[in-house]
Amino acid sequence: MLKKLFYYLKWIIIKFIKDDVMALSSQLAFSLVFSFFPFLIFIISLIGYMKLQSNDVLTVLNIVLPSDVLTLINDTVIHIVNTKNSKILFLSLIFTIWTARSGFQAVIRGINMAYGLKEKRSKLKLYSMSILCTFGLMLIILLTTMLLIFGHIIGSFLVYTFQLSNSFSLVWDILRYILIFLSISFIFATVYKYTPSIKLKWREVIAGTFTATFGLIIVSICFAFYVNNFSNYSLLYGSIGAVIALLTWLFILSNIIIIGGEVNAIVYKKNK
């Protein structure tokens, strides 16, 4: 078992260097930076139509974002939640799709490179796939946000409606985090299955899916903890410290997404 683990780690490092994952991740992170704020505006604009206070939204974002990044978007969140504007909602959706699309094309190139494939699909199909992946990512993030923000409210509603015991609240809290984990896994599995220029089975993308999902969760929590407790980007970089923290976080996550594809490619080639 240990020997097998070292085998995969060795090939992940080799492929990481050979396929220039850092360069691809930089491109993806660059696109994600441009799509981050429009998507944030889109999500918060949706929340603004619900009976929810801006402080509730900021409390949830504080769980997954470093404090420097939260400081950067604090005023934007408060303004959008308190100002309901359908034009902002529509325009932010369009701009998010357009900017994130180019980022997903970097993912497609990276995963094809991992499998040693040349792209054979038409430009139209690639653009369509990039947009569909963007929609899928948005849907999962929306679902995850709703479970984080409204999870407790939904649990209380279920207890009251079906006359369930108070112990159900604990079960529900565990269940909603499992749902979030499965949602993230599903979108990664979909991306890894359909983006390569080769037909893959669902079981052939399991390894990379769980690598990326666990990596995303662990790195996000650890990076937020590190920034909040051991590093002060604002002190080091001044007024742009929050932007640097956001760029670093997105760059790390971009690496994780592409590494997941590399893991799938290594497992696929070994099994063949």
Side-chain angles (χ1 to χ4, degrees), residues 25-221:
S25 299
S26 298
Q27 184 178 341
L28 177 57
F30 183 75
S31 298
L32 289 176
V33 167
F34 279 100
S35 62
F36 178 81
F37 285 100
F39 183 66
L40 182 67
I41 291 169
F42 170 71
I43 291 291
I44 297 170
S45 296
L46 275 181
I47 294 171
Y49 285 93
M50 305 170 190
K51 293 181 179 180
L52 201 67
Q53 300 298 317
S54 55
N55 287 335
D56 297 326
V57 179
L58 290 170
T59 300
V60 173
L61 291 175
N62 187 49
I63 299 172
V64 294
L65 294 178
S67 57
D68 282 345
V69 177
L70 194 63
T71 302
L72 179 68
I73 65 175
N74 184 77
D75 292 339
T76 306
V77 171
I78 293 172
H79 175 74
I80 295 170
V81 171
N82 297 333
T83 307
K84 299 174 177 64
N85 191 325
S86 58
K87 291 181 180 178
I88 291 178
L89 180 69
F90 179 74
L91 289 173
S92 60
L93 175 62
I94 297 298
F95 195 71
T96 299
I97 293 170
W98 179 255
T99 51
R101 174 193 58 80
S102 60
F104 270 104
Q105 287 181 345
V107 173
I108 292 170
R109 284 198 302 274
I111 293 177
N112 277 336
M113 194 181 296
Y115 284 94
L117 301 170
K118 290 184 178 180
E119 186 55 65
K120 300 175 182 178
R121 295 164 292 189
S122 65
K123 289 286 184 183
L124 179 61
K125 190 171 183 180
L126 284 176
Y127 281 131
S128 301
M129 186 177 297
S130 299
I131 292 172
L132 286 173
C133 286
T134 305
F135 267 119
L137 181 62
M138 290 169 63
L139 181 65
I140 294 304
I141 293 176
L142 184 61
L143 177 62
T144 303
T145 305
M146 293 304 159
L147 284 171
L148 282 171
I149 295 174
F150 298 109
H152 184 69
I153 298 172
I154 295 170
S156 300
F157 173 77
L158 291 173
V159 170
Y160 176 78
T161 304
F162 298 103
Q163 299 296 312
L164 300 170
S165 64
N166 291 330
S167 60
F168 175 78
S169 297
L170 176 61
V171 175
W172 170 248
D173 283 337
I174 296 171
L175 181 62
R176 67 189 174 109
Y177 283 108
I178 291 174
L179 287 172
I180 290 170
F181 177 83
L182 292 176
S183 299
I184 296 171
S185 298
F186 176 74
I187 191 61
F188 276 138
T190 304
V191 168
Y192 293 142
K193 184 180 188 300
Y194 292 107
T195 50
S197 186
I198 187 175
K199 288 185 178 180
L200 296 170
K201 297 177 181 177
W202 287 106
R203 60 181 174 82
E204 292 174 328
V205 298
I206 290 175
T209 296
F210 283 111
T211 300
T213 304
F214 280 112
L216 177 67
I217 294 169
I218 294 168
V219 167
S220 294
I221 294 171

